[in-house]
Amino acid sequence: MSFSSDAWARNAALYEKTRDMPFNQELASGQLDENAFKHYMIQDAHYLVAFGRALAIAAAKADDADGVVQFAEAAKGAVVAERSLHAGFMQQFGIDAAAFEATPLTPASHHYTSFLIATAWSAPYPVALAALLPCFWIYAEIGRDIHARATRPNPYAAWIDTYAGDAFHALVRAVIASVDRAAETASAQTLHAMHQAYTHAAQLEWMFWDSAHRQAGWPV
């Protein structure tokens, strides 16, 4: 069994909890509170810059030239996506640059971004990739699931269509393949660390959406 197949099977129940959580259910029905979506958009924009940094670190650690190119381009794509949020969704929903800059990372976002960057810096290349994989893969699967059952018209149709699109899924398949290649020669200890990193990142995906639905901030 490949690493990715094993990781998905081990975390299948967590994925189902993520798929069925209120944020994604209400997004599909078009009934999600607009303020919750705005909260999500702002945090996602902050997150994408950190995600791009972690991908760039992974690119520097890659064990071949193809990996350098793949993850350097993915890092660029994350930053480009962050900028497109400002020109697209944020403009559409009335979030100006000043409001974005004045909004700090929430505890969930801070935890997730800190985990990714710390893991990218400190862990071996295969473990760094395993930590980055859930953001790609879970987003793709959630996007496809929401797209299949979304009410139309839907105020969040543009977001739904982006993550359900063929281009994004092709990118995700390439990342999965790279993670599996890295796992093929990994030691048992490294494989264990890869599974820990994957599961923790998958848990943080759930926390990110849950935080947005509750519009959570710092408690003190």
Side-chain angles (χ1 to χ4, degrees), residues 4 11 25 27 51 60 62 67 72 74 78 86 94 102 105 110 119 122 176 190 211:
S4 62
N11 294 279
Q25 294 293 322
L27 186 68
F51 187 56
H86 292 278
L105 288 167
H110 188 275
T119 303
S122 64
I176 291 170
T190 298
S211 175

Side-chain angles (χ1 to χ4, degrees), residues 3 47 51 112 115-116 119-120 125-135 179 193-194 197-202:
F3 170 81
Y47 169 87
F51 187 56
Y112 199 177
F115 167 72
L116 289 180
T119 303
Y125 177 60
V127 180
L129 294 191
L132 291 162
L133 179 57
C135 182
V179 177
M194 289 177 72
Y198 180 96
T199 296
H200 194 55

Side-chain angles (χ1 to χ4, degrees), residues 83-141:
R83 291 175 178 172
S84 73
L85 287 177
H86 292 278
F89 290 114
M90 289 195 188
Q91 187 177 67
Q92 177 185 347
F93 287 93
I95 304 168
D96 61 23
F100 170 72
E101 293 295 339
T103 306
L105 288 167
T106 63
S109 300
H110 188 275
H111 186 164
Y112 199 177
T113 57
S114 298
F115 167 72
L116 289 180
I117 292 175
T119 303
W121 274 118
S122 64
Y125 177 60
V127 180
L129 294 191
L132 291 162
L133 179 57
C135 182
F136 287 106
W137 201 0
I138 292 174
Y139 255 75
E141 294 303 321

